[in-house]
Amino acid sequence: MTISAETPYRLRYGAEAAFDVPAEWTEVLELQLAHRSVRSYRPDPVSDETLTALIAAAQSAPTSGNLQLWSVVAVRDNARRSRLAHLAGDQGFIEEAPLLLVWLADLARARQVTTELASPSPGDPDFSAAEGADFVEAALLSFVDVALAAQNASLAAESLGLGTVFVGAIRNRPLDVAAELGLPSNVFPVFGLTVGHPADLTETAVKPRLPQQAVLHHERYALEPQAAHVKAYEDLLNAFYTRAGLPTSWITRVAHRFGTTAGLKGREHLRAALKTQGFELR
Amino acid sequence: MTISAETPYRLRYGAEAAFDVPAEWTEVLELQLAHRSVRSYRPDPVSDETLTALIAAAQSAPTSGNLQLWSVVAVRDNARRSRLAHLAGDQGFIEEAPLLLVWLADLARARQVTTELASPSPGDPDFSAAEGADFVEAALLSFVDVALAAQNASLAAESLGLGTVFVGAIRNRPLDVAAELGLPSNVFPVFGLTVGHPADLTETAVKPRLPQQAVLHHERYALEPQAAHVKAYEDLLNAFYTRAGLPTSWITRVAHRFGTTAGLKGREHLRAALKTQGFELR
């Protein structure tokens, strides 16, 4: 299969990337490769049936040991969405989208199960502190679980003709978000996801990614060759930025993000906020 | 649309769960809802073209700020896969699968970009320490990025008729895995994913999840009602476990995982291992 595959590879990697495609091509690959962020929505609501389907897709994602260490709050109320938009960097598209999903790392349910619902057998150790949930491992399990789930929901939405965008800025003021959503201890907002009917798909475009050779390693990892791939990517992405009327230079963006603490724009307090919400990160 | 939708909802939530389905149903939803872990593989290899497609799907997933803070090592070498299987709890299916993808949180590339490739403009602060990468926020970005990417790859594989399973046990001895894969500082193995042609699909089954009401909240989060949902789930999953010939009780499994430090089976050292690999988690 070549025609429909060639185009998505070209948009992701540039015209010069030459990849052979599998003998079989699928609608899933087609949709995944066509992904773009959508930040402009029509006011039409997302139906209850659609929300059910998105969450069923999310719950069908893999979850480590079937622990299911995540939850999600669906926010449709205009006033609440407006307040959350303010907390997440005053981004207007959060108000515009009819549905905001706030994805939560959730160790509270596992703690409740461990300390209140389990009936220890004779010889079992003392489970009453749910000590295992205090560790980085437990937090990592929940962060990975919620991301796997949310990606399924996002792709499911796209398959239904909806558009989405992840909102990391929900972590700008996580304790205020927690208060707004009534989150108890051991529940933390990891990211948002706006969902809605795209207002104008031509407004967005498939964004090129790093050359596949930069991220895919065979048998052992190699850092040294990546500089050349990054430089090639800088040129490819600058052409994209220029077409989109945006400031150029991926390298500059990365450097401004990680060069100093100020680049984190408040999220340097994330560890303290996690601790306040009961994530000890031992 | 009802027939094909009813069945997947029933397998995920039990026969008594009654959900309306969207007017439109999609192949993506169908595939997502049919997900099951596959731990038994035929020896047939996964082709280069297929690997390319899986990684292209992974790279097409959303990535916060287009930072792309992940990499992946494809391990096909039998001896290396055997050594990694040993490091990941001696799980035989890792040796059996023709392809093991080890998914990496990667702040090394961003550090290299920040400290070596960027050309600060007059007035820019000093980027030479890439201080922003030392924070929990940077680590979280990389954990979420790599999970979004891997879920796309996993679903892409399933769309091509392949089976996968995530391998969290790659974190049992992460520094030994890092040595085996030549990982530099600021690169950390988050999970593995075995990929191959399923040996016997009847051997696996769609596993029920928690009632959707337990994980989906409207406007504000509620912990209190979850105990009843957990108890209903305990019964539903016990029926599944019994059919599969497995020990029963989800509640007991969760309690044994989080009740004590011992339940983490060595992964209580994850924070120390992350620090050794340069993840300061400030």
Side-chain angles (χ1 to χ4, degrees), chain A residues 9 12-13 19-22 24 26-29 31-33 35 49 52-53 55-57 59-63 66-68 71-77 80 104 106 109 114 117-118 124 126-127 130-132 135-138 140-141 143-144 147-148 151-152 155-156 159-160 166 171 179-184 187 191 207 209-210 212 214-221 226 230 233 237 250-251 254-256 258-261 264 267-268 270-271 281-282, chain B residues 9 12-13 19-22 24 26-29 31-33 35 49 52-53 55-57 59-63 66-68 71-77 80 104 106 109 114 117-118 124 126-127 130-132 135-138 140-141 143-144 147-148 151-152 155-156 159-160 166 171 179-184 187 191 207 209-210 212 214-221 226 230 233 237 250-251 254-256 258-261 264 267-268 270-271 281-282:
Chain A
Y9 281 174
R12 280 295 166 211
Y13 296 118
F19 292 116
D20 291 329
V21 296
E24 186 187 1
T26 68
E27 282 187 32
V28 168
L29 283 163
L31 188 71
Q32 289 175 323
L33 285 160
H35 166 75
E49 294 75 17
T52 296
I55 304 306
Q59 288 192 267
S60 299
T63 156
N66 197 33
L67 294 168
Q68 308 178 64
S71 292
V72 62
V73 180
V75 181
R76 286 157 151 165
D77 180 76
R80 178 167 290 111
L104 309 168
D106 190 339
R109 185 169 48 239
T114 302
L117 301 181
D124 273 351
D126 177 12
F127 291 158
E131 194 183 22
F135 286 81
V136 166
E137 166 68 10
L140 178 67
L141 284 170
F143 299 152
V144 169
L148 299 177
Q151 178 55 21
N152 252 18
L155 193 73
S159 81
L160 291 165
F166 281 74
R171 297 190 303 279
E180 177 66 45
L181 300 180
L183 306 186
V187 180
F191 46 75
K207 186 176 284 180
R209 298 290 194 224
L210 283 162
Q212 189 166 115
V215 305
L216 172 60
H217 304 256
H218 295 278
E219 302 301 331
R220 285 175 60 87
Y221 182 96
Q226 295 189 33
V230 166
Y233 182 56
L237 199 53
W250 186 74
I251 288 173
V254 172
H256 278 265
F258 292 119
T260 67
T261 303
L264 298 179
R267 293 191 218 159
E268 65 272 23
L270 188 64
R271 181 174 172 178
L281 301 186
R282 277 173 62 189
Chain B
Y9 281 177
R12 281 293 166 212
Y13 296 117
F19 292 115
D20 291 330
V21 298
E24 187 187 0
T26 69
E27 281 188 34
V28 167
L29 283 163
L31 188 70
Q32 290 176 322
L33 285 160
H35 166 75
E49 294 75 17
T52 296
I55 303 306
Q59 289 193 266
S60 298
T63 156
N66 196 33
L67 294 168
Q68 307 177 66
S71 291
V72 61
V73 181
V75 180
R76 286 157 151 164
D77 180 75
R80 178 167 289 109
L104 309 168
D106 190 339
R109 184 168 50 238
T114 301
L117 302 181
D124 275 349
D126 177 11
F127 291 157
E131 195 182 20
F135 286 80
V136 166
E137 166 68 9
L140 179 66
L141 284 169
F143 298 151
V144 169
L148 299 177
Q151 179 54 19
N152 252 18
L155 193 73
S159 81
L160 291 166
F166 282 74
R171 296 191 303 279
E180 177 66 45
L181 300 179
L183 306 186
V187 180
F191 47 76
K207 187 177 284 182
R209 298 292 195 221
L210 283 163
Q212 189 166 115
V215 305
L216 172 60
H217 304 255
H218 294 278
E219 301 301 331
R220 285 175 62 87
Y221 182 96
Q226 294 190 33
V230 166
Y233 182 57
L237 199 53
W250 187 73
I251 288 174
V254 172
H256 279 267
F258 292 119
T260 67
T261 303
L264 298 178
R267 293 189 218 161
E268 65 272 23
L270 189 64
R271 181 172 172 180
L281 301 186
R282 279 173 61 186

Side-chain angles (χ1 to χ4, degrees), chain B residues 47-108:
Chain B
S47 72
D48 287 342
E49 294 75 17
T50 295
L51 177 59
T52 296
L54 302 188
I55 303 306
Q59 289 193 266
S60 298
T63 156
S64 184
N66 196 33
L67 294 168
Q68 307 177 66
L69 300 174
W70 63 273
S71 291
V72 61
V73 181
V75 180
R76 286 157 151 164
D77 180 75
N78 285 336
R80 178 167 289 109
R81 237 175 40 254
S82 176
R83 292 193 296 271
L84 288 166
H86 174 62
L87 293 176
D90 280 315
Q91 299 188 80
F93 68 85
I94 301 173
E95 284 198 77
E96 195 177 293
L99 172 63
L100 169 66
L101 298 175
V102 182
W103 296 86
L104 309 168
D106 190 339
L107 297 176

